[in-house]
Amino acid sequence: MNVEWLAVPGAIAPHDHDYYEVSFVRKGRARHKIEGAVQTLTPGSVVIVPPEGVHAFVQTQGMEVINLYYLAEWIAAGWRGQWAERGLVPLFLAQVLFRKASSTRPTVLQLNAREAAAVEFELEEIRDELSRTNPSQLMLKASLLKVLVRLSRASDSSHEEFPEMIWSVIEEIELCVDNGRMFDLHVLMQRWPITPDHGSRMFRRATGLSPQEYYQRRRIQRACALLLDASNSATRVSAELGFADAAHFSRLFTRHMGMGPRDYRRKYAVTG
């Protein structure tokens, strides 16, 4: 996670990121462009850009922003508890959790003066903590979640409720990932009066992924979070998550992330 205070001197061409970016406009104005839409940004505007979301800025006039960047994998472990906060998961986590086209589309919010002041204060708290010699991971996560909750409350975003069966599959997968166990859909589906194939189709309609795809995605995201801790080696992470061996873990990680575990740690400056 990082926070930057930036002046935007001119137009910024269409681009995307492999992390979430939240841009809070402090001063000035601009036009924000995404596919099929153009929005005017003024003080208090917030642009939320998920990974792979393409956007651009044009007609900038004295614009100053505070940019917040974060890896969703770092905070995704407790996402089920965040589901009840209206809009939080769709806006700030859905792109890494699920596979739906709408999850990559950037979103623009407009805060009132009170909301804007509260968000800017929280961003300053994050910046101050990051400037410490040994910043507290707990403090940073708590402050980040406060920002996300404030922004989700200011949005009109919501989400469709998952049926009970979908939740039961999600809960079982999350437990398997947390405890390094293998996931078996056929065993789980014995609780429900439908076939595993029918259950799998329902799950895909709700999340964009099959249960097995979701399980593997969450395993790798859990691995990402563990690898960001300098005390965890790739071998230790592989064993904790129940992979057959380090080579199998490395192959699956590379398939999902486009780089191996060690390259991932190197990219985010994790040494141990």
Side-chain angles (χ1 to χ4, degrees), residues 20-255:
Y20 273 86
E21 177 186 85
V22 180
S23 291
F24 170 77
V25 180
R26 297 184 69 242
K27 296 180 181 178
R29 59 192 300 117
R31 300 276 278 170
H32 178 253
K33 297 181 68 175
I34 59 175
E35 184 178 1
V38 180
Q39 301 133 316
T40 298
L41 304 179
T42 58
S45 296
V46 178
V47 182
I48 302 164
V49 187
E52 301 176 20
V54 178
H55 71 135
F57 295 101
V58 298
Q59 301 175 21
T60 60
Q61 301 175 24
M63 189 165 78
E64 295 181 11
V65 301
I66 305 173
N67 276 359
L68 167 68
Y69 318 103
Y70 67 95
L71 293 175
E73 296 88 345
W74 187 52
I75 58 170
W79 78 265
R80 289 164 294 167
Q82 298 159 18
W83 184 261
E85 194 68 48
R86 188 190 70 177
L88 193 153
V89 170
L91 285 171
F92 302 111
L93 288 170
Q95 196 278 344
V96 301
L97 290 172
F98 311 124
R99 184 184 291 155
K100 290 194 167 186
S102 59
S103 298
T104 63
R105 187 176 177 84
T107 300
V108 173
L109 312 178
Q110 186 63 45
L111 307 181
N112 61 37
R114 182 176 180 181
E115 292 167 338
V119 167
E120 184 166 355
F121 173 81
E122 298 294 349
L123 292 172
E124 289 173 347
E125 289 282 287
I126 292 173
R127 178 185 61 180
D128 292 346
E129 187 63 28
L130 285 169
S131 69
R132 296 171 66 92
T133 303
N134 294 300
S136 165
Q137 299 294 301
L138 180 59
M139 175 73 168
L140 290 173
K141 282 188 178 181
S143 296
L144 173 60
L145 288 172
K146 284 186 71 176
V147 171
L148 303 190
V149 168
R150 288 188 183 281
L151 293 178
S152 66
R153 289 180 177 179
S155 78
D156 58 2
S157 298
S158 59
H159 52 66
E160 297 180 7
E161 288 296 333
F162 288 149
E164 185 180 356
M165 189 279 291
I166 303 299
W167 271 122
S168 74
V169 176
I170 288 173
E171 293 283 353
E172 178 63 18
I173 289 173
E174 296 292 332
L175 285 172
C176 288
V177 171
D178 289 346
N179 294 285
R181 292 193 284 108
M182 295 297 103
F183 170 68
D184 189 331
L185 178 65
H186 287 75
V187 172
L188 181 62
M189 284 293 99
Q190 292 175 6
R191 307 176 193 172
W192 300 92
I194 57 176
T195 65
D197 286 346
H198 185 197
S200 184
R201 288 193 295 270
M202 289 178 62
F203 193 92
R204 185 181 290 278
R205 283 196 297 270
T207 68
L209 298 162
S210 72
Q212 190 64 28
E213 290 170 337
Y214 179 77
Y215 165 64
Q216 295 296 359
R217 174 175 283 213
R218 293 296 290 132
R219 281 178 101 191
I220 296 303
Q221 289 169 1
R222 177 65 175 153
C224 289
L226 292 171
L227 289 168
L228 292 171
D229 183 338
S231 67
N232 289 324
S233 67
T235 301
R236 179 178 176 182
V237 171
S238 169
E240 183 170 332
L241 293 177
F243 286 93
D245 52 49
H248 176 221
F249 167 59
S250 183
R251 286 195 300 271
L252 191 61
F253 191 96
T254 302
R255 189 187 311 162

